[in-house]
Structure formats: structure tokens, C-alpha cells
Amino acid sequence: MTPATLSRATQPRMLALANSERLVGVVSFEVENNTYSQADTFHITLCLSAQPPSRNWAWWASQVEIELEMLLGYPATERFDKADLTSVLIGEVDEIEIDPIRDEIVMSGRDLTSRFLDNKTVNKYPNLTASQIATQLATTRGLVPVVTATTVKAGTYYDIDKASIADDRPEWDLLTYLAQVSNFVVYVKGRELHFEPKPATTTTPYVIQWQGSTAYQASPTVNTVELSMSRNLSISKDIIVSVRSYNVAQKKGFTVTANRLKVKAGTKTASKSYIQPQKYFFTIANKTPDEAQQYANQKLAEISQHEMKITATIPGDPTVAQQLTILLAGTGTAFDQLFYPASVVHAYDLSSGYTTKIHAKNSSPNSTVAP
């Protein structure tokens, strides 16, 4: 009798490289891919006694710089290498913990965003554009710049918004500031620094399907390992976002607003409420009224997206990332809608295998009207 063939989904494989050399004795690791402008983080646990003689306690205790790469996937063969897996993080170790009693080595750190976080700059490059600054900093830190060109020189922003550009700040603060005033996102992916407009989300969402009990099936089913939902009632109130800007060409300041109002259930009409709205204020330099309004609308959308949240654990999938939308369906509640990932955690463990945990959010389409 021919034994049944195991599906690839039951055979996850991992690979961890330290300074380009394969690590042995890996017990578990966890990679958390965060939102734009934040560093991704990782933890990895090795079996101390499984290390080769050349990597004894003395070797680990003397290390001052370790670059890690973590890869996951479902290779079609047992004989696999790096090309058969998906890289989920390249980063640098911040801390090594050696526990001889538990027979463990635990390392933790951040992705290569750390190179900008750990280096400060006094030079703000006023005669360069935001994209030129991003390109120069990426090259200086050994990363490949993936940068969309901008035209306004950075000094234009600094003359107006001096409070946000103090001296002796991390390079990452400068990059995130320039991304904000350019209506861009900035993030590190692998060995690339991305400074660009926010990427479009995928058109085909990952579907989480809830199926309630029926006459033929007593228990509900769902295609996840775990699933939970929450709603922030504070953010479900009316929201007013005000943006103040000063336009050098017009030599005057102005304020624009964007509003999100609650609607009556089952209608598209704004409902009256005696509860004070949540108000948010932002200042951004050298924008036209139309540009400032776009910025206000963007901030309103970002704040509103914290209203509805879901957390789901699924079988490990290295393709799940921030650009993937999540569709929850079948609950019969306001949670049946699209969600956008806030963080994605890829976790591998020898005992429990590979899982992906998604934290996602969005506003409620049943409680808002256009500003």
C-alpha cells in the first residue's frame, strides 16, 4: 500500500543565517513585521549544546556584530536551500542572552532600520530634495535606495517647521519627517530603503471565512487557528481633523478640516449626537489648500482605521505582509469588512510548527459618511 503523500502545508521549513552562515540548533524564532516608519523586530532561540565546537560559550560571548536573515516556506523537496524559501527579515542582533541552565542562546534585534535609528545627524541637507537625502542616507548605510523623486528642497520645510527638525536627532527621525511632509511612506525591506508613495493594497484579499452552526453542523467553523475582534468606542465618535499650513508662495497661513460623522443605522444620514467629537490637530509646512486638504483626509482615514480591529492566527504563510488586505466574512456583524494589517508576526517552533499572526484594523463603513 502506498503511503499518503503529505501536503506541503504540513511541511514548513525554515532557515536562519548569521553573517551569511547557516545556524544550527534553531529551536524557534519570531519575526514581527510592523507598519511603515517602524523597525521590524525578531527573537531567535538556539540550543546551546547543539552548537559546533567553533561556536562555544566563549565565541558567543565575544561577538560584537551579528547580522541575521530568517527565511520560511514550503519547499517541494527535503533538499532545499535559500532560493527555495522566502526571506521574512534581515536584521542586526541587539542582544545575546546565554542561559546554560536552560541550554539556550536567545538573540533579539531589529531589521536594518536600526542603522538609521542608531546614527544621529546634525546636517539636515537643506539644499537637497527629500528624495536626494533618502538616497544619500541609504547609500551611506549600505542599503539600496528605492526612492521616488521629489522636487522641493528640504530647506523650504525647515524654514517653516523648525520645531520638528531639532539638531542631533537620529537619521530615521529625519527620514520619517521628510516622508510625512512629502505624503510618502518610508520603510526598510530586506536590504532596501523605500521612500515612496504608499503602495497600493492588493486587489484580492486574504479571506477569513466564519461559518456558523447549521442544522447539519452543530459547531461553527473558521479557516483560522484563532480569531478575535474588538471595537474602539472612543474612535467610533465623530472625528474632526484640522491641519494648519503656511504657504511661502502665497505668504499666508490657513487651516483646513476633515470630518467623519456617525450615521444612523441602516441609512446614509449623519445622526445628531450630544457627545463631543474627537479632535486632532496637525501642522505641515508649505502646502497649498488642496494639498493640505488631502493631508487632512489622509490623517482622518488613518485615525479612523483604529476603530475596528481583528487578530487572527493562520497556518504559516510567508506571503502575508502589510500590503495584503484581509476580508472577514460570515459573522453577520459590522466586522464583516476589509481590514488592513497593522503588524504580521511569523513564528516558527520545532514543536508547534509555523504560524502567522495578523493584527489588522479599519474604520466601520456603517458608521461614517464622507467629510
Side-chain angles (χ1 to χ4, degrees):
M1 178 176 179
T2 303
T5 301
L6 292 175
S7 71
R8 292 176 62 226
T10 64
Q11 302 180 76
R13 296 292 181 262
M14 57 75 59
L15 187 63
L17 305 175
N19 297 336
S20 299
E21 294 186 15
R22 185 168 186 165
L23 285 174
V24 298
V26 178
V27 177
S28 65
F29 70 67
E30 181 177 284
V31 170
E32 182 169 6
N33 299 135
N34 293 305
T35 53
Y36 303 118
S37 301
Q38 291 183 305
D40 294 345
T41 60
F42 68 87
H43 299 274
I44 183 168
T45 301
L46 310 179
C47 177
L48 181 59
S49 61
Q51 301 308 300
S54 60
R55 292 181 182 175
N56 55 21
W57 293 14
W59 186 89
W60 288 103
S62 63
Q63 297 308 298
V64 295
E65 185 175 344
I66 299 177
E67 182 185 275
L68 281 184
E69 181 173 10
M70 301 181 185
L71 304 99
L72 287 160
Y74 298 91
T77 173
E78 285 297 313
R79 298 176 61 87
F80 64 91
D81 57 24
K82 183 177 177 179
D84 299 311
L85 303 175
T86 301
S87 178
V88 292
L89 181 136
I90 299 175
E92 294 175 337
V93 175
D94 289 325
E95 185 175 9
I96 301 176
E97 178 184 348
I98 301 173
D99 189 335
I101 305 300
R102 301 181 68 174
D103 194 27
E104 289 182 348
I105 302 167
V106 180
M107 292 182 284
S108 59
R110 299 161 290 168
D111 70 359
L112 298 184
T113 305
S114 60
R115 296 183 180 179
F116 304 105
L117 287 165
D118 295 343
N119 286 282
K120 295 184 178 181
T121 179
V122 194
N123 185 4
K124 300 302 184 292
Y125 315 95
N127 295 319
L128 300 180
T129 65
S131 59
Q132 289 171 333
I133 296 171
T135 298
Q136 182 169 323
L137 288 177
T139 303
T140 300
R141 298 302 165 204
L143 272 67
V144 177
V146 180
V147 174
T148 300
T150 59
T151 57
V152 179
K153 289 187 176 180
T156 304
Y157 303 128
Y158 306 157
D159 289 341
I160 301 168
D161 197 11
K162 294 178 181 177
S164 294
I165 299 296
D167 289 338
D168 197 29
R169 282 194 172 188
E171 293 172 347
W172 192 246
D173 282 9
L174 176 59
L175 286 169
T176 55
Y177 171 79
L178 292 172
Q180 179 189 34
V181 296
S182 303
N183 284 335
F184 276 20
V185 293
V186 59
Y187 61 98
V188 171
K189 182 178 181 180
R191 300 188 189 278
E192 299 174 342
L193 173 69
H194 290 251
F195 186 86
E196 58 198 6
K198 188 174 182 180
T201 55
T202 54
T203 55
T204 303
Y206 184 99
V207 179
I208 297 176
Q209 182 67 55
W210 176 270
Q211 175 63 59
S213 58
T214 67
Y216 305 99
Q217 182 174 283
S219 300
T221 60
V222 65
N223 60 333
T224 65
V225 180
E226 297 175 340
L227 176 65
S228 64
M229 300 160 278
S230 66
R231 185 174 189 179
N232 187 313
L233 299 185
S234 177
I235 296 177
S236 68
K237 301 175 183 176
D238 294 351
I239 295 175
I240 300 176
V241 172
S242 298
V243 173
R244 174 74 178 171
S245 186
Y246 181 87
N247 188 278
V248 173
Q250 298 178 1
K251 296 184 178 180
K252 65 178 182 179
F254 58 89
T255 300
V256 298
T257 61
N259 303 292
R260 195 206 70 174
L261 307 176
K262 295 172 65 177
V263 297
K264 296 177 182 178
T267 75
K268 296 182 179 180
T269 305
S271 61
K272 294 182 179 180
S273 174
Y274 299 99
I275 302 175
Q276 290 296 313
Q278 295 282 75
K279 296 181 179 181
Y280 299 86
F281 300 90
F282 299 91
T283 300
I284 188 168
N286 202 34
K287 295 295 182 182
T288 66
D290 285 344
E291 291 172 336
Q293 187 64 60
Q294 291 176 9
Y295 184 79
N297 295 343
Q298 174 189 337
K299 286 299 179 183
L300 177 64
E302 291 175 0
I303 294 168
S304 298
Q305 282 185 355
H306 289 274
E307 179 182 354
M308 311 286 281
K309 297 180 181 180
I310 62 171
T311 298
T313 301
I314 63 176
D317 188 343
T319 65
V320 175
Q322 283 84 350
Q323 289 75 30
L324 186 70
T325 54
I326 310 297
L327 175 64
L328 178 61
T331 70
T333 70
F335 288 102
D336 286 346
Q337 63 172 74
L338 280 176
F339 290 86
Y340 301 91
S343 71
V344 177
V345 179
H346 296 282
Y348 181 90
D349 189 285
L350 281 179
S351 60
S352 57
Y354 172 30
T355 59
T356 298
K357 191 169 189 176
I358 305 165
H359 300 275
K361 60 188 180 181
N362 202 358
S363 58
S364 172
N366 297 325
S367 64
T368 62
V369 294

